Amino acid sequence: MDPVPGLDLSLPPFDLLDDAGRRRLQSSVDIGFHPGGTTLMEAGRPSPQVFVILKGLVHAYQVDDRGREERFADYGPGDILGAWAVMAGRARFSYRADGDCVSHMIPAATFRQLLEDNPRVAAYFNEGLAAKRQFANGGERREAAELMVIRVGEADLAPAEHIDAAATIAEASARLRDRRVDCLLVDDPAHAQPGIVTRTDLLGALALRALPLDAPVGPLASRPLATIGTGEVLFQALIDMTERQIERVVVTEGGRVAGTLGMAEVLAHFASHSHLISLRLARARDIDAIAEAASGMTRLVRSLNVNGTRIPYMMELVSALNSRIMAGIFELVVPPELHERICLLVMGSEGRREQLLKTDQDNALVLADDLDWPGLGEAMDRFSAALAKVGYPPCPGRVMVDNPHWRMSAAQWRERIGQWRRVHGGQGALDLSIALDARPVAGNGALFAPVKQALMALGDDEILLHHLAAATLEFDMPLTFFGRVRSGGAGTDIKKGGLFPVVHGLRCLALRHGIAATSSRERCAALVEAGQLSPGLGRDLPQALNVFQHMRLDAQFAALDQGRAPDNHIDPSRLRRLDRELMRDALLVVKEFRAHVRQSFHLRD
């Protein structure tokens, strides 16, 4: 087959065509010349062809209700225009040549036939950011990414063996041996649901507690069961076991127990360092041992990223490991008898479970109102120093437990929250934003409940919300007037221009509508369910966050490889063409969301 001059069929989405599709495309594509000022498509009208820009520039615009043109994006060589207009029967925007332009033109009938004959090409255009992100990863990473959607029900489950609570330790040990399983479900008339006893539990009862062989197994059972459904992804089981510090979960399907799943079965599917890190953390008895275990975190993230692991799964696993690291240090510096009197909170990206590489410490304490511990300050100094040793640098804003400003009793927290309600803006608004993402990771989590309740009560204060939401518009969009990705000398700051407006906007909307979740994705889904966010934005915002996180992570690893400190900057000129398209699409989603926030809270630019 002769190639089409200037049309690279090895790039997405044309690389997804079969041989018949390539022949059909090559036999029908034409080349068109469009003088400057020519309108290629008009908003609201169908397009007779799809355009692939070969040379020149085309800008997209729309006309507002006052008759004014608003230009929002431009398209250059390699970009595809008109796919939506052909599929939907009308263009969403008008497109005009900015200077002389040359394009390949694919007839609408040919394009429709290609979509019909090639479902993956149709998915590329129909699924938006989600599909484009997948296709941008390349073939090998697509295959690896498929591992992340293996369901729990597809794993090699161990049978669920039951035993009566009155059975003896000797009988339970024999049952484990005969059935060749590692755990038993313990049925007890005193409990509606079974408990679980493992081989390790029985060994501990005999060797450590010196219980006789004829002691009943009922008191040894752990409750409630840690369960996961057969429809959940297997990677979620890995996250759950890591976070709960357990080696086995019970698998359920339709309300019944389908079997049990252990770490060994999970690791049969995943070649990951996470299990090794978990084991080292479980065995760590001092700060040095925790630091050694945590030293593998960056290597773990790099491995997951190279193998195409989806960003949400990576963040959840990293968050689970980070929580264990912080809880381990907490238990070392706080005497056991005080664990129920103190609650350790993480905030910021760690509070939202959106952390990847280690960044600044953002943490605080909730103390029992009657706690009297003279050694608190010294212990928290050691805690913050230990985190720094493990690899979490001090927070420049001093949002840390070694700062008395962030160590408060529940009553003091409520008083501080009252100040945030009365005084808007400035440092108070920043502190409030940080606190809204807080979640407990160690100590007595019940101490945080009244603090969370007081924070959520701020959602009924429209004046406060107005001032808080204004920060969503604080940073300029990294798009030029014509929709190009803008970059300064250091590149585009994707945190300020992309991540922050989405994260903070969702935070403010969630607070207004009483949504207690801290994860941006959970907030987004809850807002859609409550009818406070359109399904379109609810679909596109998480995907935009994935794009920003993925590109930032790639740039951060590149910086580490070059011996530089990782930051939040991306150089658009170094991105592949499809990645630049993804970034532009994602930034346009942010632009739409900012407009939604502006309207919701009656803000001005």
Side-chain angles (χ1 to χ4, degrees):
M1 294 181 290
D2 294 331
V4 179
L7 184 59
D8 190 347
L9 299 185
S10 68
L11 294 177
F14 304 117
D15 63 330
L16 304 173
L17 292 170
D18 56 20
D19 289 340
R22 287 170 178 252
R23 287 193 293 269
R24 180 185 294 275
L25 177 61
Q26 290 172 323
S27 66
S28 59
V29 69
D30 199 359
I31 294 181
F33 173 72
H34 317 284
T38 302
T39 297
L40 280 68
M41 285 179 284
E42 290 187 28
R45 296 190 177 185
S47 176
Q49 58 262 319
V50 172
F51 302 87
V52 183
I53 306 301
L54 178 61
K55 182 179 179 181
L57 192 69
V58 173
H59 60 249
Y61 67 93
Q62 58 187 0
V63 179
D64 64 19
D65 52 7
R66 298 182 182 179
R68 298 176 301 186
E69 278 191 12
E70 180 187 5
R71 300 181 185 181
F72 74 93
D74 55 22
Y75 299 83
D79 288 335
I80 300 173
L81 310 176
W84 172 265
V86 168
M87 292 188 295
R90 62 182 182 85
R92 288 185 291 180
F93 306 101
S94 295
Y95 298 82
R96 180 186 297 134
D98 187 359
D100 293 347
C101 181
V102 178
S103 74
H104 291 101
M105 299 187 299
I106 305 171
T110 300
F111 185 75
R112 292 192 191 96
Q113 191 64 49
L114 291 174
L115 298 183
E116 183 176 339
D117 295 341
N118 296 267
R120 289 205 298 163
V121 179
Y124 176 90
F125 289 101
N126 282 317
E127 298 299 325
L129 288 170
K132 289 181 183 179
R133 176 73 260 170
Q134 177 186 357
F135 294 125
N137 284 337
E140 292 182 2
R141 291 179 67 173
R142 286 201 302 272
E143 292 176 5
E146 290 175 2
L147 288 175
M148 301 303 128
V149 296
I150 294 176
R151 302 293 171 179
V152 168
E154 300 174 49
D156 184 17
L157 303 181
E161 294 291 338
H162 289 255
I163 194 169
D164 191 80
T168 67
I169 292 177
E171 291 170 332
S173 299
R175 181 75 61 85
L176 289 175
R177 181 197 61 214
D178 295 342
R179 303 297 189 185
R180 296 185 179 182
V181 293
D182 293 323
C183 66
L184 298 169
L185 299 184
V186 180
D187 296 318
D188 190 334
H191 298 276
Q193 300 295 328
I196 189 171
V197 65
T198 66
R199 191 184 304 275
T200 303
D201 293 331
L202 298 181
L203 181 60
L206 295 172
L208 300 179
R209 299 169 59 182
L211 295 181
L213 285 171
D214 59 357
V217 295
L220 304 179
S222 298
R223 290 184 171 83
L225 291 177
T227 64
I228 190 168
T230 54
E232 293 287 338
V233 292
L234 197 59
F235 202 80
Q236 186 63 51
L238 177 61
I239 293 170
D240 288 351
M241 282 188 268
T242 299
E243 189 163 38
R244 300 184 189 191
Q245 305 182 45
I246 55 178
E247 295 291 316
R248 186 163 291 274
V249 293
V250 174
V251 178
T252 61
E253 182 176 33
R256 68 175 185 85
V257 174
T260 68
L261 179 67
M263 186 67 79
E265 290 89 351
V266 175
L267 293 179
H269 292 271
F270 298 106
S272 167
H273 301 289
S274 60
H275 183 45
L276 180 58
I277 295 174
S278 293
L279 288 176
R280 287 178 174 174
L281 288 173
R283 295 167 182 163
R285 294 295 178 265
D286 55 41
I287 300 299
D288 289 339
I290 292 177
E292 183 180 355
S295 66
M297 290 285 288
T298 298
R299 185 169 65 254
L300 167 64
V301 175
R302 186 189 291 271
S303 174
L304 293 171
N305 187 49
V306 167
N307 285 302
T309 306
R310 296 179 179 180
I311 286 289
Y313 295 152
M314 267 198 283
M315 292 192 299
E316 285 199 47
L317 181 58
V318 168
S319 173
L321 290 169
N322 284 342
S323 295
R324 289 190 62 176
I325 290 169
M326 295 177 193
I329 296 174
F330 176 88
E331 291 171 1
L332 288 174
V333 302
V334 177
E337 64 272 15
L338 296 179
H339 287 181
E340 289 299 306
R341 315 295 305 283
I342 301 173
C343 176
L344 174 65
L345 305 176
V346 291
M347 301 181 290
S349 58
E350 191 63 59
R352 298 191 303 274
R353 298 179 183 270
E354 293 169 5
Q355 186 73 271
L356 286 169
L357 296 185
K358 296 172 185 172
T359 56
D360 302 341
Q361 301 179 34
D362 281 316
N363 44 50
L365 292 182
V366 183
L367 310 172
D369 288 336
D370 59 350
L371 176 67
D372 182 15
W373 181 25
L376 175 63
E378 187 272 335
M380 293 305 104
D381 288 344
R382 287 191 287 121
F383 179 88
S384 296
L387 277 184
K389 182 176 182 178
V390 168
Y392 301 89
C395 172
R398 303 284 298 132
V399 183
M400 299 161 58
V401 294
D402 66 351
N403 180 358
H405 184 78
W406 290 101
R407 301 196 304 256
M408 293 176 280
S409 67
Q412 290 169 328
W413 270 100
R414 289 193 293 270
E415 181 180 349
R416 177 76 55 80
I417 293 168
Q419 293 174 4
W420 290 337
R421 182 189 285 271
R422 294 188 297 272
V423 181
H424 308 135
Q427 186 62 42
L430 179 60
D431 288 352
L432 172 56
S433 298
I434 294 170
L436 286 170
D437 294 336
R439 65 179 176 88
V441 294
N444 184 2
L447 293 172
F448 178 59
V451 177
K452 180 70 172 181
Q453 184 179 9
L455 285 169
M456 296 304 299
L458 297 177
D460 61 7
D461 190 326
E462 284 296 325
I463 297 177
L464 171 66
L465 289 171
H466 175 89
H467 287 278
L468 192 67
T472 306
L473 311 180
E474 181 176 347
F475 300 112
D476 291 336
M477 283 285 294
L479 281 171
T480 67
F481 183 68
F482 301 112
R484 296 178 182 175
V485 178
R486 181 168 51 214
S487 175
T492 296
D493 189 328
I494 204 61
K495 180 177 180 179
K496 288 182 178 179
L499 288 166
F500 177 78
V502 176
V503 167
H504 189 63
L506 289 172
R507 178 191 292 137
C508 295
L509 288 167
L511 179 60
R512 169 187 266 181
H513 298 292
I515 295 167
T518 57
S519 159
S520 297
R521 287 160 179 79
E522 291 176 338
R523 285 167 170 166
C524 186
L527 286 166
V528 172
E529 185 176 353
Q532 302 301 325
L533 197 63
S534 71
L537 270 176
R539 178 193 65 242
D540 289 343
L541 283 171
Q543 295 301 334
L545 288 174
N546 289 349
V547 169
F548 297 143
Q549 291 276 17
H550 220 302
M551 291 184 179
R552 180 174 68 168
L553 187 60
D554 287 343
Q556 288 174 333
F557 278 128
L560 289 173
D561 292 340
Q562 296 167 12
R564 296 184 290 108
D567 57 25
N568 297 303
H569 289 88
I570 296 172
D571 184 356
S573 67
R574 298 192 176 209
L575 297 175
R576 294 175 299 172
R577 181 186 62 81
L578 184 58
D579 281 335
R580 287 198 299 273
E581 179 188 346
L582 280 167
M583 188 174 178
R584 183 174 57 193
D585 284 349
L587 288 171
L588 288 172
V589 171
V590 176
K591 182 178 180 181
E592 182 181 353
F593 179 62
R594 280 164 52 108
H596 175 79
V597 173
R598 184 187 303 114
Q599 181 179 15
S600 296
F601 294 99
H602 309 292
L603 303 174
R604 295 181 180 178
D605 280 327

